mmCIF file of all heavy atoms in Angstrom:
data_model
loop_
_atom_site.group_PDB
_atom_site.id
_atom_site.type_symbol
_atom_site.label_atom_id
_atom_site.label_comp_id
_atom_site.label_asym_id
_atom_site.label_seq_id
_atom_site.Cartn_x
_atom_site.Cartn_y
_atom_site.Cartn_z
ATOM 1 N N VAL A 1 -46.146 -123.959 -63.979
ATOM 2 C CA VAL A 1 -46.021 -125.300 -63.568
ATOM 3 C C VAL A 1 -47.046 -126.278 -64.223
ATOM 4 O O VAL A 1 -46.795 -127.293 -64.725
ATOM 5 C CB VAL A 1 -45.765 -125.505 -62.015
ATOM 6 C CG1 VAL A 1 -45.812 -126.889 -61.619
ATOM 7 C CG2 VAL A 1 -44.499 -124.822 -61.541
ATOM 8 N N MET A 2 -48.274 -125.753 -64.104
ATOM 9 C CA MET A 2 -49.424 -126.544 -64.605
ATOM 10 C C MET A 2 -49.321 -126.703 -66.113
ATOM 11 O O MET A 2 -49.616 -127.774 -66.646
ATOM 12 C CB MET A 2 -50.707 -126.043 -64.148
ATOM 13 C CG MET A 2 -51.004 -126.249 -62.598
ATOM 14 S SD MET A 2 -52.536 -125.535 -62.121
ATOM 15 C CE MET A 2 -52.335 -123.711 -62.309
ATOM 16 N N GLN A 3 -48.888 -125.686 -66.747
ATOM 17 C CA GLN A 3 -48.777 -125.729 -68.319
ATOM 18 C C GLN A 3 -47.703 -126.756 -68.568
ATOM 19 O O GLN A 3 -47.769 -127.495 -69.444
ATOM 20 C CB GLN A 3 -48.488 -124.423 -68.943
ATOM 21 C CG GLN A 3 -49.676 -123.524 -68.855
ATOM 22 C CD GLN A 3 -49.418 -122.060 -69.462
ATOM 23 O OE1 GLN A 3 -48.252 -121.614 -69.350
ATOM 24 N NE2 GLN A 3 -50.484 -121.413 -70.039
ATOM 25 N N GLY A 4 -46.534 -126.623 -67.797
ATOM 26 C CA GLY A 4 -45.473 -127.598 -68.057
ATOM 27 C C GLY A 4 -45.791 -128.967 -67.891
ATOM 28 O O GLY A 4 -45.331 -129.944 -68.466
ATOM 29 N N ALA A 5 -46.793 -129.180 -66.828
ATOM 30 C CA ALA A 5 -47.287 -130.467 -66.632
ATOM 31 C C ALA A 5 -48.227 -131.049 -67.542
ATOM 32 O O ALA A 5 -48.720 -132.248 -67.392
ATOM 33 C CB ALA A 5 -47.733 -130.575 -65.119
ATOM 34 N N GLY A 6 -48.621 -130.222 -68.507
ATOM 35 C CA GLY A 6 -49.693 -130.681 -69.421
ATOM 36 C C GLY A 6 -51.099 -130.631 -69.056
ATOM 37 O O GLY A 6 -51.821 -131.283 -69.610
ATOM 38 N N MET A 7 -51.503 -129.752 -67.984
ATOM 39 C CA MET A 7 -52.793 -129.756 -67.485
ATOM 40 C C MET A 7 -53.503 -128.994 -68.583
ATOM 41 O O MET A 7 -53.088 -128.261 -69.121
ATOM 42 C CB MET A 7 -52.943 -129.107 -66.235
ATOM 43 C CG MET A 7 -52.307 -129.910 -65.101
ATOM 44 S SD MET A 7 -52.374 -129.104 -63.523
ATOM 45 C CE MET A 7 -54.102 -129.375 -63.100
ATOM 46 N N SER A 8 -54.929 -129.212 -68.599
ATOM 47 C CA SER A 8 -55.808 -128.472 -69.547
ATOM 48 C C SER A 8 -55.925 -127.102 -69.080
ATOM 49 O O SER A 8 -55.822 -126.748 -67.944
ATOM 50 C CB SER A 8 -57.304 -129.210 -69.564
ATOM 51 O OG SER A 8 -57.857 -129.003 -68.366
ATOM 52 N N GLU A 9 -56.401 -126.272 -70.045
ATOM 53 C CA GLU A 9 -56.744 -124.843 -69.729
ATOM 54 C C GLU A 9 -57.713 -124.721 -68.749
ATOM 55 O O GLU A 9 -57.690 -123.899 -67.943
ATOM 56 C CB GLU A 9 -57.013 -124.170 -71.123
ATOM 57 C CG GLU A 9 -55.874 -123.977 -71.992
ATOM 58 C CD GLU A 9 -56.251 -123.201 -73.226
ATOM 59 O OE1 GLU A 9 -57.125 -122.325 -73.099
ATOM 60 O OE2 GLU A 9 -55.479 -123.279 -74.280
ATOM 61 N N ASN A 10 -58.824 -125.593 -68.772
ATOM 62 C CA ASN A 10 -59.919 -125.506 -67.882
ATOM 63 C C ASN A 10 -59.348 -125.758 -66.449
ATOM 64 O O ASN A 10 -59.816 -125.066 -65.462
ATOM 65 C CB ASN A 10 -60.988 -126.558 -68.209
ATOM 66 C CG ASN A 10 -62.215 -126.279 -67.376
ATOM 67 O OD1 ASN A 10 -62.546 -125.280 -67.030
ATOM 68 N ND2 ASN A 10 -62.909 -127.496 -67.084
ATOM 69 N N SER A 11 -58.484 -126.836 -66.217
ATOM 70 C CA SER A 11 -57.935 -127.084 -65.055
ATOM 71 C C SER A 11 -57.096 -125.928 -64.477
ATOM 72 O O SER A 11 -57.095 -125.540 -63.238
ATOM 73 C CB SER A 11 -57.033 -128.323 -64.964
ATOM 74 O OG SER A 11 -57.895 -129.440 -65.205
ATOM 75 N N ILE A 12 -56.384 -125.407 -65.218
ATOM 76 C CA ILE A 12 -55.421 -124.133 -64.990
ATOM 77 C C ILE A 12 -56.264 -123.012 -64.568
ATOM 78 O O ILE A 12 -55.900 -122.327 -63.604
ATOM 79 C CB ILE A 12 -54.440 -123.778 -66.137
ATOM 80 C CG1 ILE A 12 -53.511 -124.886 -66.414
ATOM 81 C CG2 ILE A 12 -53.704 -122.482 -65.849
ATOM 82 C CD1 ILE A 12 -52.629 -124.838 -67.665
ATOM 83 N N ALA A 13 -57.233 -122.722 -65.286
ATOM 84 C CA ALA A 13 -58.152 -121.621 -64.968
ATOM 85 C C ALA A 13 -58.772 -121.840 -63.505
ATOM 86 O O ALA A 13 -58.964 -120.856 -62.759
ATOM 87 C CB ALA A 13 -59.277 -121.431 -66.039
ATOM 88 N N ARG A 14 -59.264 -123.057 -63.233
ATOM 89 C CA ARG A 14 -59.829 -123.347 -61.963
ATOM 90 C C ARG A 14 -58.788 -123.122 -60.815
ATOM 91 O O ARG A 14 -59.181 -122.478 -59.758
ATOM 92 C CB ARG A 14 -60.419 -124.807 -61.883
ATOM 93 C CG ARG A 14 -61.726 -125.082 -62.686
ATOM 94 C CD ARG A 14 -62.085 -126.413 -62.553
ATOM 95 N NE ARG A 14 -63.367 -126.529 -63.326
ATOM 96 C CZ ARG A 14 -63.998 -127.689 -63.238
ATOM 97 N NH1 ARG A 14 -63.709 -128.695 -62.492
ATOM 98 N NH2 ARG A 14 -65.192 -127.761 -63.986
ATOM 99 N N VAL A 15 -57.710 -123.636 -60.938
ATOM 100 C CA VAL A 15 -56.685 -123.462 -59.775
ATOM 101 C C VAL A 15 -56.280 -122.031 -59.647
ATOM 102 O O VAL A 15 -56.153 -121.539 -58.535
ATOM 103 C CB VAL A 15 -55.367 -124.317 -60.250
ATOM 104 C CG1 VAL A 15 -54.234 -124.027 -59.316
ATOM 105 C CG2 VAL A 15 -55.695 -125.903 -60.092
ATOM 106 N N THR A 16 -56.112 -121.249 -60.835
ATOM 107 C CA THR A 16 -55.787 -119.864 -60.806
ATOM 108 C C THR A 16 -56.865 -119.156 -59.946
ATOM 109 O O THR A 16 -56.588 -118.299 -59.127
ATOM 110 C CB THR A 16 -55.489 -119.279 -62.156
ATOM 111 O OG1 THR A 16 -54.614 -120.016 -62.828
ATOM 112 C CG2 THR A 16 -55.280 -117.920 -62.098
ATOM 113 N N SER A 17 -58.208 -119.475 -60.311
ATOM 114 C CA SER A 17 -59.293 -118.862 -59.652
ATOM 115 C C SER A 17 -59.246 -119.253 -58.108
ATOM 116 O O SER A 17 -59.531 -118.172 -57.362
ATOM 117 C CB SER A 17 -60.601 -119.359 -60.224
ATOM 118 O OG SER A 17 -61.700 -118.807 -59.534
ATOM 119 N N ILE A 18 -59.016 -120.363 -57.737
ATOM 120 C CA ILE A 18 -58.794 -120.731 -56.340
ATOM 121 C C ILE A 18 -57.862 -120.030 -55.626
ATOM 122 O O ILE A 18 -57.934 -119.529 -54.556
ATOM 123 C CB ILE A 18 -58.756 -122.208 -56.279
ATOM 124 C CG1 ILE A 18 -60.052 -123.019 -56.589
ATOM 125 C CG2 ILE A 18 -58.336 -122.679 -54.740
ATOM 126 C CD1 ILE A 18 -59.800 -124.598 -56.842
ATOM 127 N N LEU A 19 -56.646 -119.863 -56.236
ATOM 128 C CA LEU A 19 -55.578 -119.113 -55.631
ATOM 129 C C LEU A 19 -55.775 -117.745 -55.370
ATOM 130 O O LEU A 19 -55.548 -117.114 -54.317
ATOM 131 C CB LEU A 19 -54.291 -119.289 -56.586
ATOM 132 C CG LEU A 19 -53.432 -120.653 -56.586
ATOM 133 C CD1 LEU A 19 -52.481 -120.594 -57.546
ATOM 134 C CD2 LEU A 19 -52.927 -120.835 -55.071
ATOM 135 N N MET A 20 -56.442 -117.075 -56.332
ATOM 136 C CA MET A 20 -56.846 -115.651 -56.348
ATOM 137 C C MET A 20 -57.873 -115.376 -55.209
ATOM 138 O O MET A 20 -57.803 -114.388 -54.550
ATOM 139 C CB MET A 20 -57.164 -115.142 -57.558
ATOM 140 C CG MET A 20 -56.018 -114.963 -58.599
ATOM 141 S SD MET A 20 -54.499 -114.199 -58.009
ATOM 142 C CE MET A 20 -55.066 -112.514 -57.658
ATOM 143 N N SER A 21 -58.857 -116.330 -55.224
ATOM 144 C CA SER A 21 -59.944 -116.265 -54.213
ATOM 145 C C SER A 21 -59.198 -116.371 -52.700
ATOM 146 O O SER A 21 -59.590 -115.621 -51.919
ATOM 147 C CB SER A 21 -60.828 -117.268 -54.474
ATOM 148 O OG SER A 21 -61.632 -117.125 -55.615
ATOM 149 N N GLY A 22 -58.319 -117.235 -52.696
ATOM 150 C CA GLY A 22 -57.644 -117.456 -51.247
ATOM 151 C C GLY A 22 -56.758 -116.227 -51.020
ATOM 152 O O GLY A 22 -56.859 -115.873 -49.859
ATOM 153 N N ALA A 23 -56.264 -115.643 -52.047
ATOM 154 C CA ALA A 23 -55.385 -114.387 -51.759
ATOM 155 C C ALA A 23 -56.272 -113.301 -51.198
ATOM 156 O O ALA A 23 -55.881 -112.604 -50.357
ATOM 157 C CB ALA A 23 -54.627 -114.085 -53.161
ATOM 158 N N VAL A 24 -57.462 -113.158 -51.894
ATOM 159 C CA VAL A 24 -58.391 -112.064 -51.361
ATOM 160 C C VAL A 24 -58.740 -112.341 -49.886
ATOM 161 O O VAL A 24 -58.786 -111.489 -49.176
ATOM 162 C CB VAL A 24 -59.639 -111.999 -52.225
ATOM 163 C CG1 VAL A 24 -60.603 -111.206 -51.728
ATOM 164 C CG2 VAL A 24 -59.281 -111.500 -53.731
ATOM 165 N N VAL A 25 -59.081 -113.645 -49.635
ATOM 166 C CA VAL A 25 -59.496 -113.965 -48.175
ATOM 167 C C VAL A 25 -58.366 -113.596 -47.245
ATOM 168 O O VAL A 25 -58.549 -113.072 -46.211
ATOM 169 C CB VAL A 25 -60.015 -115.298 -48.120
ATOM 170 C CG1 VAL A 25 -60.286 -115.619 -46.696
ATOM 171 C CG2 VAL A 25 -61.344 -115.503 -48.933
ATOM 172 N N ILE A 26 -57.038 -114.095 -47.649
ATOM 173 C CA ILE A 26 -56.032 -113.971 -46.666
ATOM 174 C C ILE A 26 -55.732 -112.432 -46.578
ATOM 175 O O ILE A 26 -55.468 -112.002 -45.403
ATOM 176 C CB ILE A 26 -54.713 -114.750 -47.277
ATOM 177 C CG1 ILE A 26 -55.109 -116.307 -47.060
ATOM 178 C CG2 ILE A 26 -53.535 -114.329 -46.576
ATOM 179 C CD1 ILE A 26 -54.001 -117.019 -47.817
ATOM 180 N N GLY A 27 -55.707 -111.665 -47.655
ATOM 181 C CA GLY A 27 -55.452 -110.197 -47.520
ATOM 182 C C GLY A 27 -56.546 -109.617 -46.645
ATOM 183 O O GLY A 27 -56.203 -108.817 -45.855
ATOM 184 N N TYR A 28 -57.711 -109.919 -46.810
ATOM 185 C CA TYR A 28 -58.841 -109.350 -46.017
ATOM 186 C C TYR A 28 -58.604 -109.696 -44.459
ATOM 187 O O TYR A 28 -58.668 -108.878 -43.590
ATOM 188 C CB TYR A 28 -60.211 -109.816 -46.457
ATOM 189 C CG TYR A 28 -61.361 -109.440 -45.545
ATOM 190 C CD1 TYR A 28 -61.828 -108.111 -45.631
ATOM 191 C CD2 TYR A 28 -61.811 -110.232 -44.592
ATOM 192 C CE1 TYR A 28 -62.843 -107.697 -44.815
ATOM 193 C CE2 TYR A 28 -62.995 -109.814 -43.765
ATOM 194 C CZ TYR A 28 -63.326 -108.575 -43.718
ATOM 195 O OH TYR A 28 -64.308 -108.041 -43.049
ATOM 196 N N LEU A 29 -58.302 -110.904 -44.224
ATOM 197 C CA LEU A 29 -58.154 -111.405 -42.815
ATOM 198 C C LEU A 29 -56.894 -110.725 -42.112
ATOM 199 O O LEU A 29 -56.959 -110.108 -41.020
ATOM 200 C CB LEU A 29 -58.083 -112.799 -42.676
ATOM 201 C CG LEU A 29 -59.192 -113.686 -43.064
ATOM 202 C CD1 LEU A 29 -58.916 -115.195 -43.122
ATOM 203 C CD2 LEU A 29 -60.275 -113.488 -42.072
ATOM 204 N N VAL A 30 -55.911 -110.626 -42.843
ATOM 205 C CA VAL A 30 -54.731 -109.993 -42.420
ATOM 206 C C VAL A 30 -54.976 -108.421 -42.218
ATOM 207 O O VAL A 30 -54.608 -107.843 -41.080
ATOM 208 C CB VAL A 30 -53.538 -110.041 -43.242
ATOM 209 C CG1 VAL A 30 -52.171 -109.174 -42.732
ATOM 210 C CG2 VAL A 30 -52.994 -111.539 -43.271
ATOM 211 N N ALA A 31 -55.588 -107.865 -43.122
ATOM 212 C CA ALA A 31 -55.922 -106.445 -42.961
ATOM 213 C C ALA A 31 -56.850 -106.086 -41.857
ATOM 214 O O ALA A 31 -56.654 -105.177 -41.007
ATOM 215 C CB ALA A 31 -56.535 -105.881 -44.154
ATOM 216 N N GLU A 32 -57.746 -106.976 -41.664
ATOM 217 C CA GLU A 32 -58.761 -106.677 -40.507
ATOM 218 C C GLU A 32 -58.129 -106.952 -39.135
ATOM 219 O O GLU A 32 -58.375 -106.293 -38.225
ATOM 220 C CB GLU A 32 -60.035 -107.772 -40.690
ATOM 221 C CG GLU A 32 -60.960 -107.222 -41.738
ATOM 222 C CD GLU A 32 -61.737 -105.905 -41.294
ATOM 223 O OE1 GLU A 32 -62.133 -105.750 -40.166
ATOM 224 O OE2 GLU A 32 -61.631 -105.018 -42.204
ATOM 225 N N GLY A 33 -57.171 -108.032 -39.163
ATOM 226 C CA GLY A 33 -56.387 -108.211 -37.956
ATOM 227 C C GLY A 33 -55.643 -107.047 -37.588
ATOM 228 O O GLY A 33 -55.536 -106.682 -36.304
ATOM 229 N N LEU A 34 -54.974 -106.474 -38.488
ATOM 230 C CA LEU A 34 -54.184 -105.264 -38.312
ATOM 231 C C LEU A 34 -55.041 -104.067 -37.778
ATOM 232 O O LEU A 34 -54.656 -103.352 -36.908
ATOM 233 C CB LEU A 34 -53.346 -104.812 -39.519
ATOM 234 C CG LEU A 34 -52.356 -105.907 -39.835
ATOM 235 C CD1 LEU A 34 -51.645 -105.299 -41.275
ATOM 236 C CD2 LEU A 34 -51.118 -105.921 -38.903
ATOM 237 N N SER A 35 -56.082 -103.924 -38.454
ATOM 238 C CA SER A 35 -57.056 -102.832 -38.051
ATOM 239 C C SER A 35 -57.661 -103.078 -36.623
ATOM 240 O O SER A 35 -57.592 -102.102 -35.900
ATOM 241 C CB SER A 35 -58.215 -102.841 -38.999
ATOM 242 O OG SER A 35 -59.250 -101.928 -38.640
ATOM 243 N N ASP A 36 -57.987 -104.325 -36.340
ATOM 244 C CA ASP A 36 -58.415 -104.525 -35.012
ATOM 245 C C ASP A 36 -57.279 -104.316 -33.906
ATOM 246 O O ASP A 36 -57.614 -103.902 -32.856
ATOM 247 C CB ASP A 36 -59.017 -106.026 -34.836
ATOM 248 C CG ASP A 36 -60.191 -106.193 -35.632
ATOM 249 O OD1 ASP A 36 -60.883 -105.200 -35.993
ATOM 250 O OD2 ASP A 36 -60.618 -107.362 -35.848
ATOM 251 N N ALA A 37 -56.003 -104.762 -34.312
ATOM 252 C CA ALA A 37 -54.980 -104.604 -33.286
ATOM 253 C C ALA A 37 -54.709 -103.050 -33.162
ATOM 254 O O ALA A 37 -54.382 -102.689 -32.065
ATOM 255 C CB ALA A 37 -53.807 -105.211 -33.845
ATOM 256 N N GLY A 38 -54.841 -102.299 -34.238
ATOM 257 C CA GLY A 38 -54.713 -100.916 -34.081
ATOM 258 C C GLY A 38 -55.741 -100.193 -33.236
ATOM 259 O O GLY A 38 -55.499 -99.256 -32.447
ATOM 260 N N ASN A 39 -56.952 -100.774 -33.262
ATOM 261 C CA ASN A 39 -58.134 -100.151 -32.598
ATOM 262 C C ASN A 39 -57.909 -100.532 -31.027
ATOM 263 O O ASN A 39 -58.349 -99.807 -30.089
ATOM 264 C CB ASN A 39 -59.394 -100.808 -33.043
ATOM 265 C CG ASN A 39 -59.811 -99.990 -34.264
ATOM 266 O OD1 ASN A 39 -59.327 -99.015 -34.620
ATOM 267 N ND2 ASN A 39 -60.650 -100.805 -35.113
ATOM 268 N N LEU A 40 -57.378 -101.651 -30.674
ATOM 269 C CA LEU A 40 -56.997 -102.048 -29.266
ATOM 270 C C LEU A 40 -56.119 -100.993 -28.588
ATOM 271 O O LEU A 40 -56.119 -100.760 -27.510
ATOM 272 C CB LEU A 40 -56.482 -103.424 -29.306
ATOM 273 C CG LEU A 40 -57.562 -104.570 -29.413
ATOM 274 C CD1 LEU A 40 -56.796 -105.892 -29.415
ATOM 275 C CD2 LEU A 40 -58.684 -104.374 -28.609
ATOM 276 N N ALA A 41 -55.188 -100.458 -29.393
ATOM 277 C CA ALA A 41 -54.112 -99.598 -28.900
ATOM 278 C C ALA A 41 -54.716 -98.186 -28.560
ATOM 279 O O ALA A 41 -54.178 -97.397 -27.799
ATOM 280 C CB ALA A 41 -52.984 -99.440 -29.932
ATOM 281 N N LEU A 42 -55.859 -97.763 -29.127
ATOM 282 C CA LEU A 42 -56.432 -96.516 -29.037
ATOM 283 C C LEU A 42 -57.253 -96.500 -27.736
ATOM 284 O O LEU A 42 -58.047 -97.487 -27.505
ATOM 285 C CB LEU A 42 -57.290 -96.122 -30.247
ATOM 286 C CG LEU A 42 -56.631 -95.982 -31.560
ATOM 287 C CD1 LEU A 42 -57.638 -95.826 -32.633
ATOM 288 C CD2 LEU A 42 -55.713 -94.828 -31.558
ATOM 289 N N PRO A 43 -57.245 -95.503 -26.914
ATOM 290 C CA PRO A 43 -58.115 -95.369 -25.744
ATOM 291 C C PRO A 43 -59.513 -95.174 -26.079
ATOM 292 O O PRO A 43 -59.786 -94.576 -27.116
ATOM 293 C CB PRO A 43 -57.450 -94.245 -25.014
ATOM 294 C CG PRO A 43 -56.888 -93.374 -26.094
ATOM 295 C CD PRO A 43 -56.179 -94.300 -26.981
#
């Protein structure tokens, strides 16, 4: 979409970097939440 809109390669690289960083954080938070929920179920 950004290439189609004529954005510069630098801007595309920045947005891609932000998206992937966000994905890492979201993945970590979800995984930790699932792990914590699993630990609550154990006696």
Side-chain angles (χ1 to χ4, degrees):
V1 169
M2 290 183 290
Q3 285 177 338
M7 293 181 75
S8 70
E9 287 184 26
N10 190 32
S11 295
I12 293 170
R14 285 183 181 188
V15 172
T16 301
S17 176
I18 291 167
L19 285 173
M20 290 310 295
S21 297
V24 168
V25 170
I26 290 170
Y28 175 78
L29 292 174
V30 171
E32 283 297 308
L34 291 173
S35 175
D36 291 345
N39 288 337
L40 290 176
L42 297 175

